[in-house]
Amino acid sequence: MFRNITPVVQNLLLINVIVFLVASFVFPVLNKWFALYNIQSEYFSPFQFLTYMFMHADFWHLFSNMFGLLIFGPLLEQFLGPKKLFTLWMVCGVGAGVLYSGYSIYQYKSLEEKVITFEASPDPEYFNRLVIENRGYFSPEVFDFVDQYSRNPEDPMYIERAEKTLSAILRLHANQPMVGASGALFGILIAFAMLFPNTQLFLLFPPMPVKAKYLVLFYGLYTVYNILLNSPTDNVAHFAHLSGLLIGAVLVYNWKKDRNSFY
């Protein structure tokens, strides 16, 4: 596997590993500076659309993305050429960050409207629904407060605390960063499936062969399912994954129309 590694894949692997080591053990503040924050956040900067894709949450996050690049990247680089593989990686990564930011704005505005609705007409049941919808932001103790508030719906102290709790949710939502090269990797996956659809891949779990087109189709459907499920306890940016798939598909489709564009 390592004997067949190609130049762009090798360089991307090295950059991601080096950045991870530096951010983990030398300058941890890079994790805050270079992660992609929501546009509403005070920590947001435009350069984060580029830098977030070189940051990773932990070793296994890094490993999964780099393992995917190592498996699918070399053959794509040999077929497309170094420039097109690099373009695919960067455009899908940056594009996924941009589209995910738009999706995050929509989610933030939707939550903000619900908070405004509660503030206009405080109601324990409505507050409880908002807590359940956003339970990933809370410790279990919040439900004790929900019970207390339900027993004292007119108490100004409980109403004020509920409003502060919802305001805290908005701040947490705005300041929740995204990191990782998954959007770029999903662009690589869809490119591989479109260019080598019938290539047999052997899965580890479960141990069985599967064609590339079916594997990527499964990933795509699973991603859409998680977006629709919208679990408040799921911290994976599934919409960024889907964005990488879509952007990669558009790029490869246009390249396939012009066969002379292949290296």
Side-chain angles (χ1 to χ4, degrees):
M1 181 186 300
F2 290 99
R3 286 199 303 261
N4 297 324
I5 192 170
T6 47
V8 171
V9 170
Q10 176 178 298
N11 289 333
L12 287 172
L13 289 171
L14 286 174
I15 291 171
N16 278 274
V17 170
I18 290 172
V19 170
F20 176 76
L21 293 175
V22 171
S24 298
F25 302 107
V26 183
F27 298 113
V29 71
L30 295 180
N31 290 302
K32 182 176 181 179
W33 288 350
F34 292 161
L36 177 58
Y37 287 88
N38 292 332
I39 293 177
Q40 302 93 340
S41 172
E42 60 183 305
Y43 304 119
F44 169 77
S45 294
F47 65 77
Q48 293 169 355
F49 287 123
L50 173 64
T51 58
Y52 90 95
M53 57 189 290
F54 295 100
M55 313 301 296
H56 288 85
D58 53 40
F59 170 79
W60 291 111
H61 188 205
L62 173 72
F63 176 81
S64 62
N65 283 332
M66 296 304 100
F67 183 72
L69 174 62
L70 185 61
I71 293 297
F72 298 102
L75 183 56
L76 277 176
E77 185 172 347
Q78 292 170 14
F79 185 78
L80 293 172
K83 291 182 180 179
K84 274 196 166 48
L85 180 76
F86 183 71
T87 297
L88 179 68
W89 181 266
M90 296 302 295
V91 170
C92 289
V94 173
V98 172
L99 293 180
Y100 179 78
S101 292
Y103 179 66
S104 294
I105 291 173
Y106 165 77
Q107 289 185 310
Y108 181 88
K109 292 298 183 183
S110 177
L111 177 58
E112 187 178 44
E113 289 177 2
K114 293 177 181 179
V115 172
I116 292 173
T117 298
F118 173 81
E119 291 175 344
S121 181
D123 176 69
E125 292 185 10
Y126 190 75
F127 175 77
N128 185 40
R129 288 200 300 271
L130 290 180
V131 168
I132 292 174
E133 290 173 1
N134 298 275
R135 60 185 179 275
Y137 292 107
F138 294 105
S139 62
E141 288 75 17
V142 71
F143 292 102
D144 294 333
F145 170 70
V146 171
D147 291 337
Q148 296 168 6
Y149 180 28
S150 297
R151 292 193 294 268
N152 303 274
E154 304 298 329
D155 191 319
M157 181 183 69
Y158 287 104
I159 294 174
E160 181 182 4
R161 182 176 171 184
E163 290 175 344
K164 289 182 178 179
T165 300
L166 295 179
S167 296
I169 294 178
L170 281 173
R171 288 194 300 274
L172 287 171
H173 184 89
N175 294 323
Q176 186 174 28
M178 181 178 72
V179 294
S182 298
L185 177 61
F186 270 68
I188 295 291
L189 293 179
I190 192 65
F192 192 94
M194 292 175 69
L195 296 172
F196 310 105
N198 296 314
T199 299
Q200 291 278 3
L201 304 171
F202 195 85
L203 303 180
L204 296 177
F205 303 103
M208 58 176 288
V210 60
K211 292 183 177 180
K213 59 185 177 183
Y214 297 131
L215 178 64
V216 175
L217 176 62
F218 168 78
Y219 271 124
L221 293 176
Y222 178 73
T223 299
V224 172
Y225 166 77
N226 280 286
I227 292 173
L228 296 175
L229 183 63
N230 195 28
S231 172
T233 58
D234 188 352
N235 62 355
V236 177
H238 296 288
F239 192 85
H241 297 177
L242 181 63
S243 298
L245 277 176
L246 295 176
I247 295 170
V250 171
L251 274 177
V252 174
Y253 175 78
N254 285 310
W255 288 342
K256 287 180 70 174
K257 284 174 60 179
D258 181 11
R259 294 185 181 275
N260 294 328
S261 70
F262 289 123
Y263 179 79

